[in-house]
Amino acid sequence: ASRSDESSDSTEAAVVKDYWTTHGKVYLTPGVRAGIAILSQRFTSNGMGTLANYEGSTNAFGAQLGMGVYGTLGKYFLLGGDASYTFAGAAALRYIQPSDGTAVTLSVQAHTIDGGVSAGLHFGVVGGLTVRLRLGGQMVLNLVQPDVRVKLPSDRIVGMTIGLGLTAPALFTLAGRPFGAWLYGGGLVPAQRAQTVGLEDGPQSTTFGGFFGGGLSFVVMQPSQEKYKGQLAIEAAYSYEFVATHYVGLSRRNNTITVADRGSAQHLISLGLGFYY
């Protein structure tokens, strides 16, 4: 149930059961997607003055690379691991200085590295239904261009993830090719958020997050049962994730703040290719 492993299941369209028996026990699932991302931040506090409370959002270019390695135990059990990297950037936030009304443009980026292990069950219904539990870890870098006129911190979030995934790789066929879907969701807990030195919002903090998403797949290249060459699918996906942090204590960037909440979120709408070998 990660931002990458859903593509690995989605390319198992209509032949999950057959492949498990005709292609041995180990499977590789590389995938790549690109599209539009939305990056947003929201900060509220009990302080006063510049940037004591603010909210910002921007569109960005998003891209994702993923790889999974999976093995089977008998006809019904699946074990494996996966990792992914997601980039969102080529974007900026514009801040209007209250002193003179001039605008300051700050470039922003988000980098997400995610990995984990999963175990699942396969059922012979709706073309092969797979349910999986995933445990893993994630690191998110939210980068804001430094500027002495605008005290906005960058941050690094590190935490453990747990989630569930549901894949129906062959809901029906079009022109004899499987059309599938997948859903996943989970939480980021426990987690920690570290901010730019000198711009920390408080010495004590509690951080948690969540994510969910899903997508559709359509097989464009099917393997031969006699000579396995892999399966290629076009995939369209949507994902959303957020991280919230509650701060207690004196802020270093604004000494009127003693209690604050920071939230960051990312949407990704993407189109790409998934391969199942």
Side-chain angles (χ1 to χ4, degrees):
S2 73
R3 263 67 71 213
S4 65
D5 70 346
E6 72 276 350
S7 63
S8 66
D9 272 346
S10 66
T11 54
E12 297 174 9
V15 289
V16 174
K17 182 178 180 180
D18 290 341
Y19 281 12
W20 287 12
T21 59
T22 62
H23 182 53
K25 302 296 183 180
V26 178
Y27 307 85
L28 300 177
T29 59
V32 58
R33 290 197 294 264
I36 299 173
I38 301 175
L39 301 175
S40 60
Q41 296 186 15
R42 186 171 187 266
F43 182 80
T44 59
S45 75
N46 64 346
M48 301 188 314
T50 304
L51 295 175
N53 295 276
Y54 66 87
E55 184 171 0
S57 180
T58 181
N59 295 333
F61 167 76
Q64 184 178 81
L65 299 172
M67 169 64 81
V69 180
Y70 301 92
T72 59
L73 297 175
K75 296 173 63 176
Y76 302 104
F77 295 95
L78 177 69
L79 299 174
D82 66 272
S84 70
Y85 166 70
T86 304
F87 167 80
L93 293 173
R94 195 173 77 156
Y95 173 72
I96 305 299
Q97 298 188 89
S99 58
D100 55 12
T102 59
V104 179
T105 301
L106 306 173
S107 63
V108 293
Q109 294 182 357
H111 303 261
T112 304
I113 300 173
D114 184 89
V117 295
S118 59
L121 290 172
H122 168 75
F123 303 96
V125 295
V126 292
L129 181 67
T130 301
V131 180
R132 289 195 291 168
L133 172 68
R134 183 178 184 274
L135 300 175
Q138 185 182 93
M139 180 176 70
V140 182
L141 299 177
N142 294 311
L143 304 180
V144 181
Q145 178 183 347
D147 193 300
V148 295
R149 296 167 294 177
V150 186
K151 294 184 178 180
L152 287 178
S154 297
D155 59 54
R156 182 185 68 246
I157 302 163
V158 178
M160 303 297 295
T161 60
I162 181 171
L164 288 172
L166 178 68
T167 303
L171 290 174
F172 55 87
T173 59
L174 294 174
R177 300 178 184 276
F179 183 93
W182 70 87
L183 294 171
Y184 68 89
L188 177 69
V189 60
Q192 293 182 335
R193 189 194 296 257
Q195 297 179 287
T196 303
V197 176
L199 298 179
E200 297 94 337
D201 286 310
Q204 302 176 19
S205 64
T206 303
T207 299
F208 68 94
F211 53 86
F212 66 86
L216 304 171
S217 67
F218 180 68
V219 173
V220 294
M221 185 186 80
Q222 298 193 81
S224 167
Q225 294 291 337
E226 291 75 26
K227 187 175 181 181
Y228 189 88
K229 294 182 179 180
Q231 175 176 292
L232 182 68
I234 296 175
E235 300 176 344
Y238 167 76
S239 64
Y240 171 77
E241 59 182 75
F242 75 93
V243 181
T245 303
H246 179 69
Y247 293 97
V248 176
L250 186 65
S251 169
R252 297 189 63 181
R253 68 182 185 88
N254 183 334
N255 58 19
T256 69
I257 298 174
T258 58
V259 178
D261 290 281
R262 176 176 296 279
S264 54
Q266 177 178 312
H267 303 259
L268 178 61
I269 303 170
S270 59
L271 181 68
L273 298 174
F275 193 72
Y276 180 84
Y277 182 79

